[in-house]
Amino acid sequence: MPWVLWVPAALALALVVLPVVGLLVRTDLRRVPGLIVTDASLAALRLSLETAAVSTLACVVLGVPLAVVLARSTVPGIRILRAIVLLPLVLPPVVGGLALLYLLGRKGFLGYLLSVTGGVQIPFTTTAVIIAQTFVAMPFLVVSLEGALRSGGDRYEPIASTLGARPWTVFRRVTIPLLLPALGSGAVLSFARALGEFGATITFAGSLEGVTRTLPLEVYTQAEVDVDSAVALALLLIVVAIAVIAVARPRALEGTAR
């Protein structure tokens, strides 16, 4: 490995690590346990984990078929469709929240229809949190899966078809096994992204304690009244995110076969 790579690599690592060090320096670690075990903090943590888990499941159920369609379909306009699917990756989360609000809110065409026909109100509910998290997290799963399908090629599915396998059988017995390593990585990334979601959530779901106030929103709320609590909760969020990625990330994706 060229030694010259160490300089930009060290700068990149410093850009990620030093802000966390800044939080640690700012915090009296002896007070952290007492600051993070308040009722509001524990409720926010529980809500974050529950909604992130549900939104990750939604990402898998919806994102796997979408990734297969984007990778394997040859219909006209598929490149434009791919760009639209990846839009949440580049959109400011607040813009995504506004888009969801004007789709599913009282003044949105779909929200108005749901309200009139079924009396369903989605904004400022826990369901809104899950929808916002799914909106921002699903592209991470789709990118991982589509990349895996494209890099793996498409020679196995046609062979299975020539041997008499039906399309659904090919999908279950050939495509899904090819996707499993990338599915694990994509699901972990989606969960971590959902866990840290803030902008779309506060815009579309609000910040109601015990209902929509996830841990990132609790950090924001505490920052206005108690900086020490906000920093302690930020450290808690960092620890949870690192644990999720380190524990759940498949070993096969770390580049070493051990």
Side-chain angles (χ1 to χ4, degrees), residues 190-227:
S190 296
F191 182 86
R193 179 64 185 88
L195 193 66
E197 164 52 31
F198 174 81
T201 302
I202 197 171
T203 307
F204 180 47
S207 181
L208 305 174
E209 185 175 342
V211 180
T212 65
R213 186 178 297 172
T214 56
L215 195 55
L217 271 64
E218 181 66 18
V219 172
Y220 178 77
T221 301
Q222 290 298 325
E224 297 180 338
V225 295
D226 187 350
V227 176

Side-chain angles (χ1 to χ4, degrees), residues 103-220:
L103 170 67
L104 296 169
R106 288 184 177 182
K107 296 183 179 179
F109 66 90
L110 186 54
Y112 178 78
L113 181 63
L114 291 173
S115 178
V116 171
T117 59
V120 177
Q121 300 289 339
I122 294 179
F124 310 109
T125 64
T126 304
T127 301
V129 175
I130 295 171
I131 293 174
Q133 291 176 345
T134 304
F135 175 80
V136 300
M138 187 164 59
F140 288 86
L141 181 72
V142 173
V143 167
S144 297
L145 298 183
E146 187 186 3
L149 285 171
R150 290 184 177 278
S151 62
D154 59 353
R155 59 188 182 276
Y156 298 108
E157 288 104 333
I159 293 174
S161 296
T162 59
L163 294 176
R166 296 179 178 272
W168 181 246
T169 303
V170 173
F171 176 74
R172 288 191 301 108
R173 303 294 296 274
V174 179
T175 306
I176 290 297
L178 289 174
L179 286 177
L180 285 180
L183 180 60
S185 176
V188 170
L189 289 175
S190 296
F191 182 86
R193 179 64 185 88
L195 193 66
E197 164 52 31
F198 174 81
T201 302
I202 197 171
T203 307
F204 180 47
S207 181
L208 305 174
E209 185 175 342
V211 180
T212 65
R213 186 178 297 172
T214 56
L215 195 55
L217 271 64
E218 181 66 18
V219 172
Y220 178 77

Side-chain angles (χ1 to χ4, degrees), residues 33-54:
L35 293 173
I36 64 177
V37 295
T38 63
D39 292 340
S41 300
L42 293 177
L45 176 60
R46 182 176 63 253
L47 181 64
S48 290
L49 294 174
E50 291 175 351
T51 55
V54 175

